[in-house]
Amino acid sequence: MRIIATIKDVAKLAGVSVATVSRVLNKEANVLPQTKLRVQDAIAKLHYSPNLLGRNLRQGATKKILVLLNTISNPFYSQVVRGIEECAAKEHYSVMLCMTHGDPVLEQQSITLLQTKLVDGAVFLSAEQEGTALTEACRGIPVVQACEPRDGFLAASVSIDNKKAAYDAISYLIQNGHKQIAFFGASDTLSSSICRKDGYLQALSDYELTPNPDWIIEEGFSINAGVRAAKRLISCKELPDAVFCISDSCAIGAIRTLVEAGISVPGDISVMGFDNAEISKAFLPAVTTVQQPRYEIGYKAASLLLDAMRGEENRAVKITLPHEIIERNSVEKHT
Amino acid sequence: MRIIATIKDVAKLAGVSVATVSRVLNKEANVLPQTKLRVQDAIAKLHYSPNLLGRNLRQGATKKILVLLNTISNPFYSQVVRGIEECAAKEHYSVMLCMTHGDPVLEQQSITLLQTKLVDGAVFLSAEQEGTALTEACRGIPVVQACEPRDGFLAASVSIDNKKAAYDAISYLIQNGHKQIAFFGASDTLSSSICRKDGYLQALSDYELTPNPDWIIEEGFSINAGVRAAKRLISCKELPDAVFCISDSCAIGAIRTLVEAGISVPGDISVMGFDNAEISKAFLPAVTTVQQPRYEIGYKAASLLLDAMRGEENRAVKITLPHEIIERNSVEKHT
């Protein structure tokens, strides 16, 4: 049986009224010092904690912000979340994470935390429902999007230009002598999936190269997705001379699968990743990739959320941070 | 300016009393069907959400459980959290994560969520404060430990036997002809850090091998920790013929650093990891490691927490799940 002290127990032990205990808890001035000490002593003896559900109800702020993300298994997110945490901490907000696992129902459950004021605001690192549904669900609630802005979701956003970043990656491959370029992407509705594929197709088109449809393989962002995509590629009649992957995890799964099949990377096929995750630098060969300023994306998103929570109307703000090609050892240079 | 509808606004628009709106919200029977429809219509028009802070105060359950963990950047945790989520979902609990980043103050802030009933219970995947302080802080609150049981923290726990697992890893290295074995560990106070080092020392002692103090290098669990540890090892007068690492991330950082320095893995030095993280299978060479049943640890911990939330007294329960050596390509076999 759990025995939890109530404010009445504290009042009884201290020999004062409940109203007096309440005044001490709320740090009001009109309490005699010796009474205050008696109440504090009773609180300590009984291990009493004020029920903050009631307290928040009166004061209207929880000092908590929620971060919604697809999964913590994608190493991309940890630095974004760190940026959010460090910005939020400046104003004494702490951060809680909820995962959606690609499920709109789980997303909606988390939005309920916002609607019912259990948290003060949220940063969406991914979005599962349609933009208009999200706009409706988050009406009157401070929210911000980061990394994966969803079309039609009326909330400030911070991200890189995913289409331009993919375009630049393909241009880099082409400028280093590659013309037969495959794309390992994802068939979900995340903006990064859609925009990076658009950038790939646009770059090929601008360089007057025709994409081979067999080489557009959409298995997802994970290491295992890269393994599956590479297996499908290996079974094609013709092989490309380079592969652009939607994430570093995907690139690593692809490289290990190609190498296991006796295909040298980058000797036979060059492989390029995306994100500049920690593992892309550690992998053998180290993976040439596109860096996103992950910490800065998170920090800026939290900063916009703090503005929104102070009542600033910033839902139309769209911030694009710069990306950068990181040259390592997984792309052959034919110059 | 944010305009948020209150229960009074709903009552006014529906032309009923606040008490009637409250009866509709609480699904009580004594409301006429046409009145109920008018209230529901007003709720929809005003986008009214009942403030659940008040609701929870009355009903006493949030259907949320909290998972405290050091960092989401350690890929080890994602499957543990998945196990917790899937078990909790069976009883309609959802999971929120808070990170401690090794900071007892952040841990205490999260414990406040428990003390103030904003969540119904918690699983500690790591612990920053002393065990006795945690026992005190979590008095009367359902809590469970997983992965990293802390001495003196009176809460049910689920983990592998970290000492035995490290002992078995060292025995495996010795049985494959290695006698000069280094240890890359962590100098923190996590039970895995302490127990894995104990297992390493115990195995060497049982096989009558003397540990070289220069080869016990405690930089931590991350890839970068492995890089730092390997750099320190390379600067030693003598090199070992095997390294046992406290995590797969550490092993990967170590392998890439040794290989970059012209030391072949496993040709010159064998490297063994711990955890069987996804990357240990994908890395080149694939990393021989110790598997923890991560999903099962999380699932079982959540199951114990649900028991505790139903009032079962299980604080003394200690569950040890089996570990397993996974043979891959980073350890040379001299047999």
Side-chain angles (χ1 to χ4, degrees):
Chain A
M1 206 180 92
R2 287 164 52 196
I3 297 168
I4 297 174
T6 67
I7 194 166
K8 286 185 192 170
D9 300 328
V10 174
K12 194 173 167 190
L13 183 62
V16 300
S17 69
V18 166
T20 301
V21 178
S22 180
R23 278 199 291 276
V24 172
L25 290 172
N26 290 318
K27 300 186 171 45
E28 291 173 26
N30 52 345
V31 185
L32 289 174
Q34 61 267 42
T35 309
K36 189 173 160 190
L37 278 176
R38 273 216 313 282
V39 171
Q40 287 171 338
D41 193 44
I43 287 171
K45 275 193 183 131
L46 294 169
H47 302 290
Y48 171 72
S49 298
N51 186 327
L52 273 208
L53 282 171
R55 171 159 289 217
N56 287 328
L57 183 61
R58 291 193 304 275
Q59 301 180 346
T62 63
K63 294 305 256 184
K64 307 261 167 269
I65 66 180
L66 185 68
V67 174
L68 281 99
L69 74 173
N70 192 295
T71 170
I72 56 167
S73 71
N74 184 342
F76 169 74
Y77 288 119
S78 70
Q79 277 301 306
V80 181
V81 173
R82 199 75 189 110
I84 295 171
E85 287 183 311
E86 295 199 351
C87 179
K90 282 192 315 175
E91 301 198 10
H92 310 292
Y93 279 87
S94 60
V95 168
M96 296 191 297
L97 309 184
C98 283
M99 281 173 283
T100 60
H101 300 292
D103 182 348
V105 174
L106 288 177
E107 181 177 79
Q108 188 54 44
Q109 279 178 12
S110 293
I111 291 173
T112 305
L113 292 172
L114 289 158
Q115 291 170 331
T116 54
K117 292 92 180 172
L118 287 168
V119 293
D120 295 338
V123 181
F124 285 73
L125 300 188
S126 55
E128 310 305 339
Q129 298 174 73
E130 288 299 317
T132 49
L134 286 169
T135 300
E136 188 61 24
C138 297
R139 184 185 289 269
I141 299 166
V143 289
V144 167
Q145 306 184 74
C147 308
E148 299 279 359
R150 164 80 58 166
D151 273 350
F153 184 11
L154 188 61
S157 71
V158 186
S159 69
I160 59 164
D161 182 337
N162 276 295
K163 181 173 174 181
K164 181 68 166 54
Y167 187 98
D168 290 349
I170 301 302
S171 302
Y172 170 84
L173 289 171
I174 293 169
Q175 284 155 15
N176 282 294
H178 303 281
K179 288 187 173 168
Q180 315 271 42
I181 302 171
F183 175 61
F184 288 180
S187 59
D188 55 44
T189 62
L190 294 177
S191 66
S192 58
S193 307
I194 295 163
C195 295
R196 290 177 200 168
K197 185 178 180 181
D198 284 352
Y200 161 77
L201 293 172
Q202 185 68 51
L204 289 188
S205 165
D206 286 0
Y207 282 90
E208 296 177 347
L209 298 170
T210 309
N212 179 339
D214 290 348
W215 294 345
I216 298 176
I217 303 175
E218 296 177 300
E219 291 283 350
F221 287 80
S222 67
I223 293 179
N224 284 334
V227 170
R228 290 193 302 270
K231 284 183 177 164
R232 284 177 56 187
L233 185 74
I234 293 166
S235 73
C236 289
K237 262 180 284 179
E238 275 189 295
L239 290 184
D241 49 33
V243 182
F244 170 57
C245 298
I246 197 157
S247 72
D248 289 331
S249 294
C250 176
I252 282 158
I255 293 172
R256 104 103 40 213
T257 307
L258 294 171
V259 169
E260 255 186 337
I263 298 164
S264 156
V265 176
D268 298 320
I269 297 184
S270 291
V271 176
M272 190 161 175
F274 202 106
D275 287 342
N276 195 26
E278 204 186 11
I279 187 62
S280 66
K281 191 177 166 189
F283 202 71
L284 294 163
V287 183
T288 295
T289 190
V290 181
Q291 146 134 328
Q292 297 202 52
R294 295 182 286 163
Y295 179 89
E296 291 75 13
I297 290 174
Y299 197 96
K300 186 69 201 167
S303 169
L304 287 171
L305 183 64
L306 293 171
D307 291 344
M309 292 193 302
R310 277 188 293 264
E312 193 174 303
E313 175 47 57
N314 62 8
R315 286 172 181 253
V317 173
K318 299 243 165 289
I319 291 176
T320 306
L321 294 178
H323 58 268
E324 188 188 348
I325 306 275
I326 307 286
E327 287 195 298
R328 295 206 182 97
N329 311 119
S330 65
V331 173
E332 190 95 325
K333 294 179 141 191
H334 307 288
T335 42
Chain B
M1 205 180 96
R2 288 164 52 196
I3 297 170
I4 297 174
T6 67
I7 194 165
K8 286 184 191 170
D9 300 326
V10 174
K12 194 172 170 192
L13 183 62
V16 300
S17 68
V18 166
T20 302
V21 178
S22 179
R23 279 198 292 275
V24 173
L25 290 171
N26 289 319
K27 299 186 172 48
E28 291 173 25
N30 52 346
V31 185
L32 290 174
Q34 61 266 43
T35 307
K36 189 173 162 191
L37 279 175
R38 273 218 310 283
V39 171
Q40 288 170 337
D41 193 45
I43 287 171
K45 276 194 181 132
L46 294 169
H47 302 288
Y48 170 73
S49 297
N51 185 327
L52 272 208
L53 281 172
R55 172 158 290 217
N56 286 329
L57 183 61
R58 291 193 304 276
Q59 300 181 347
T62 63
K63 295 303 255 184
K64 306 265 167 267
I65 65 180
L66 185 68
V67 174
L68 281 100
L69 74 174
N70 192 296
T71 170
I72 57 167
S73 70
N74 184 342
F76 170 75
Y77 289 118
S78 70
Q79 278 302 304
V80 180
V81 172
R82 198 76 189 107
I84 295 171
E85 287 182 311
E86 295 199 352
C87 179
K90 283 192 314 174
E91 300 198 10
H92 310 291
Y93 279 87
S94 61
V95 168
M96 295 191 299
L97 308 184
C98 284
M99 281 174 282
T100 60
H101 300 292
D103 181 348
V105 174
L106 288 177
E107 180 177 79
Q108 188 53 43
Q109 279 178 11
S110 293
I111 292 173
T112 305
L113 293 172
L114 290 158
Q115 291 170 333
T116 55
K117 292 91 180 176
L118 287 168
V119 294
D120 295 337
V123 181
F124 284 74
L125 300 188
S126 54
E128 309 306 339
Q129 298 173 72
E130 289 297 318
T132 49
L134 286 168
T135 300
E136 188 62 22
C138 297
R139 184 186 289 269
I141 299 165
V143 289
V144 166
Q145 308 184 74
C147 307
E148 298 280 0
R150 164 79 55 164
D151 273 351
F153 183 12
L154 188 60
S157 71
V158 186
S159 70
I160 59 165
D161 181 337
N162 276 296
K163 182 174 176 182
K164 182 69 166 56
Y167 187 99
D168 290 350
I170 301 302
S171 302
Y172 170 84
L173 289 171
I174 293 170
Q175 284 154 18
N176 282 294
H178 303 282
K179 288 188 174 167
Q180 315 271 42
I181 303 171
F183 175 62
F184 288 180
S187 60
D188 55 44
T189 62
L190 293 176
S191 66
S192 58
S193 307
I194 295 163
C195 295
R196 291 176 200 168
K197 185 178 180 181
D198 284 352
Y200 161 78
L201 293 172
Q202 184 69 50
L204 289 189
S205 165
D206 286 2
Y207 283 90
E208 296 177 349
L209 297 170
T210 308
N212 178 338
D214 290 347
W215 295 345
I216 298 177
I217 303 176
E218 297 177 299
E219 291 284 350
F221 287 80
S222 69
I223 293 178
N224 284 333
V227 170
R228 289 193 302 271
K231 283 182 178 165
R232 284 177 55 187
L233 185 74
I234 292 166
S235 73
C236 289
K237 261 180 284 179
E238 274 188 295
L239 290 183
D241 50 32
V243 182
F244 171 56
C245 297
I246 197 158
S247 73
D248 289 331
S249 294
C250 176
I252 282 159
I255 294 172
R256 106 100 41 211
T257 306
L258 294 171
V259 169
E260 254 185 338
I263 297 163
S264 158
V265 176
D268 298 319
I269 297 185
S270 291
V271 176
M272 190 161 177
F274 203 106
D275 286 342
N276 195 26
E278 206 185 10
I279 188 62
S280 66
K281 191 176 166 191
F283 202 72
L284 295 163
V287 182
T288 294
T289 189
V290 182
Q291 147 134 328
Q292 296 203 52
R294 294 181 286 162
Y295 179 89
E296 291 75 13
I297 289 173
Y299 198 95
K300 186 67 201 169
S303 169
L304 287 171
L305 183 64
L306 293 171
D307 292 344
M309 292 193 301
R310 277 188 293 265
E312 193 176 302
E313 175 46 58
N314 63 8
R315 286 170 181 254
V317 172
K318 299 243 165 288
I319 291 176
T320 305
L321 294 178
H323 58 269
E324 189 188 347
I325 305 276
I326 308 286
E327 287 196 297
R328 295 208 182 98
N329 311 119
S330 64
V331 173
E332 190 95 325
K333 295 177 140 194
H334 307 288
T335 43

